Amino acid sequence: MNRIYAWDGIVPVIDPAAFVHPEAVVIGDVLIGPMCYVGPGAVLRGDFGRIVLEKGANVQETCVVHSFPDKDVVVEEAGHIGHGAVLHGCHIGRNAMVGMNAVVMDEAVVGENSIIGAMAFVRAGAQIPPNSMAVGSPAKVVRVLTEDEIDWKRRGTGVYQQLAMEARDKLRPATPLAAPEENRRRVTAPVYDPLIVERARFSARP
């Protein structure tokens, strides 16, 4: 059972083509688009302002998404929010990535295709230009990303879009075994297949 809560009569919206883990918490004015993935332990708390995850975005394990009063958080299409990151009242551009345990503060804007390094702190009001790599605390732009790096990021997010499609069939409650089975099968990660992702993207169009 998902931990989905209305706030003051405002009910979260989760597209049927999205996957929200049962142990994620989604509260209030939250709009989750198709092909989005929200991992276990993530908290999206839409009680101060609206939270929007556009098509194909992901918010991974133990992330926190919240806002300053009357400010929105937007993660544009194919935005990628790494494990443990915190977003507060900010705007994450199309195909941008926020690294693990990074923090992005109120009214900051991360431009399209940009990457915020792990553990970085993007201060309130900061403007990270498109196609940039920013690292540190406070985060500073250190260089322009190459086309290969932007494509690498796009493919990584594609894996999460594929995971969103597969997770509803693969994830099941289970009782632990006392010992591993003989010839125990190994987990296989989703293999990025651009054709599968593009077909799903097309079918998810409004």
Side-chain angles (χ1 to χ4, degrees):
M1 180 178 175
N2 289 79
R3 297 179 174 184
I4 310 299
Y5 301 92
W7 178 266
D8 195 26
I10 299 173
V11 179
V13 176
I14 301 174
D15 189 278
F19 176 79
V20 177
H21 191 279
E23 294 300 324
V25 179
V26 182
I27 300 169
D29 195 4
V30 179
L31 307 177
I32 299 176
M35 298 172 62
C36 288
Y37 174 90
V38 178
V43 177
L44 286 69
R45 181 157 67 93
D47 56 355
F48 284 7
R50 178 168 293 173
I51 297 168
V52 179
L53 304 186
E54 294 186 359
K55 184 187 305 178
N58 68 75
V59 173
Q60 297 173 22
E61 292 71 23
T62 71
C63 290
V64 174
V65 184
H66 191 236
S67 193
F68 197 77
D70 301 319
K71 303 290 182 185
D72 294 347
V73 179
V74 176
V75 181
E76 290 190 27
E77 182 172 348
H80 189 108
I81 313 303
H83 313 289
V86 176
L87 305 182
H88 207 274
C90 57
H91 191 109
I92 309 300
R94 182 186 177 100
N95 196 48
M97 181 170 80
V98 176
M100 292 182 281
N101 288 311
V103 176
V104 185
M105 290 299 295
D106 300 288
E107 299 186 327
V109 176
V110 176
E112 180 176 6
N113 297 326
S114 288
I115 294 176
I116 305 300
M119 303 291 290
F121 178 79
V122 181
R123 57 188 169 192
Q127 303 287 310
I128 306 298
N131 308 312
S132 299
M133 168 69 81
V135 298
S137 181
K140 297 184 187 308
V141 174
V142 293
R143 62 181 176 84
V144 174
L145 293 166
T146 66
E147 286 298 321
D148 284 347
E149 288 170 322
I150 292 170
D151 184 62
W152 168 83
K153 187 271 156 198
R154 186 177 291 110
R155 287 171 174 272
T157 300
V159 171
Y160 270 88
Q161 292 168 350
Q162 200 154 321
L163 179 62
M165 292 187 284
E166 296 180 7
R168 63 177 50 84
D169 295 323
K170 291 186 173 181
L171 182 73
R172 293 285 182 274
T175 301
L177 303 174
E181 315 94 306
E182 186 176 355
N183 300 319
R184 179 179 174 87
R185 182 171 61 87
R186 296 185 68 87
V187 163
T188 55
V191 177
Y192 174 62
D193 183 340
L195 292 179
I196 290 175
V197 172
E198 285 305 311
R199 280 196 296 270
R201 194 191 311 276
F202 181 80
S203 65
R205 287 177 184 170

